[in-house]
Amino acid sequence: MSSVNVLILGGTTEAMQLARLLEGDARFQAVYSVAGRTSNPRLPNLICRSGGFGGVEGLRDWLAANQCRIIVDATHPFAGQISHNAARAAKLSGARLLAVSRPPWIAVEGDSWQSVTSMAEAARALGDAPKRVLLTIGKLELAAFCRAPQHYYVSRSVDLPEQHPPHCECITQRGPFRLEDELALLDDYSIEVMVTKNSGGSAAQPKLEAARRRRVPVVMVERPPLPGVAEQVQDAEQALRWLERYA
């Protein structure tokens, strides 16, 4: 029986977990694809590719050239463009599409969150008075905070950003993060407010517990609208069970 060709659009914890489950599984021939925006990304022992496909048409052509009829979109909840491209390419090519969509975080008792819909709105939400701000939004979206230069920023990302606000200390760290380390980060830099994306998942959740314990308010950037996908699961194990229907 021939193996089933699968394209995993990765870059998340769930994508890596699924890839690990498929390593050595003869039922599937999986290709793990990352955007290439992070240096030295974690990669599984699968065929791996880095970089874009060239839009919807490029992805459609790649699927045809590689006889791939299944796409697993396990990208970051804020990677909207590739999710839209995947949905469109799947429709054009007739490929099956599964979205691995981790649940968003939900505020609990003790949280002080202000929800916003963009980085520009997040920068405005910091107010006019200077504050010490922790940014855990990645390296690509710091430009909005250059328009609020009165604050002192601590930016944490996997790689150093090319652009950042004038008063900004950049820290390079890769999760998952421990609660004690998140508490120490808030304490060491006397953080007064945190800005983060509602990415969901467990790897980055300790920062929210740390903010709760230290009574640090959080400006929460909510997820952008993504294409409606008929078939969705929440984790790698559920994704594998879905794939096994086509093995």
Side-chain angles (χ1 to χ4, degrees), residues 164-184:
H164 56 75
H167 306 294
C168 183
E169 182 166 348
C170 297
I171 301 172
T172 56
Q173 292 179 336
R174 188 192 297 266
F177 301 102
R178 301 181 305 168
L179 175 59
E180 52 265 41
D181 295 329
E182 300 293 63
L183 290 167

Side-chain angles (χ1 to χ4, degrees), residues 192-242:
E192 298 173 279
V193 60
M194 178 193 301
V195 179
T196 194
K197 298 175 177 178
N198 196 339
S199 302
S202 60
Q205 194 166 18
K207 65 187 174 188
L208 302 177
E209 174 65 21
R212 187 181 308 125
R213 293 193 184 191
R214 292 295 187 261
R215 301 182 183 275
V216 171
V218 176
V219 178
M220 183 68 71
V221 183
E222 299 298 345
R223 299 178 179 186
L226 294 177
V229 177
E231 299 187 89
Q232 298 186 35
V233 296
Q234 294 186 353
D235 57 40
E237 288 76 15
Q238 292 175 359
L240 178 60
R241 289 196 291 272
W242 183 89

Side-chain angles (χ1 to χ4, degrees), residues 37 92 217:
R37 294 175 177 172
L92 291 174

Side-chain angles (χ1 to χ4, degrees), residues 155-169:
S155 172
R156 182 175 69 190
S157 56
V158 175
D159 298 314
L160 288 173
E162 295 180 3
Q163 182 181 21
H164 56 75
H167 306 294
C168 183
E169 182 166 348

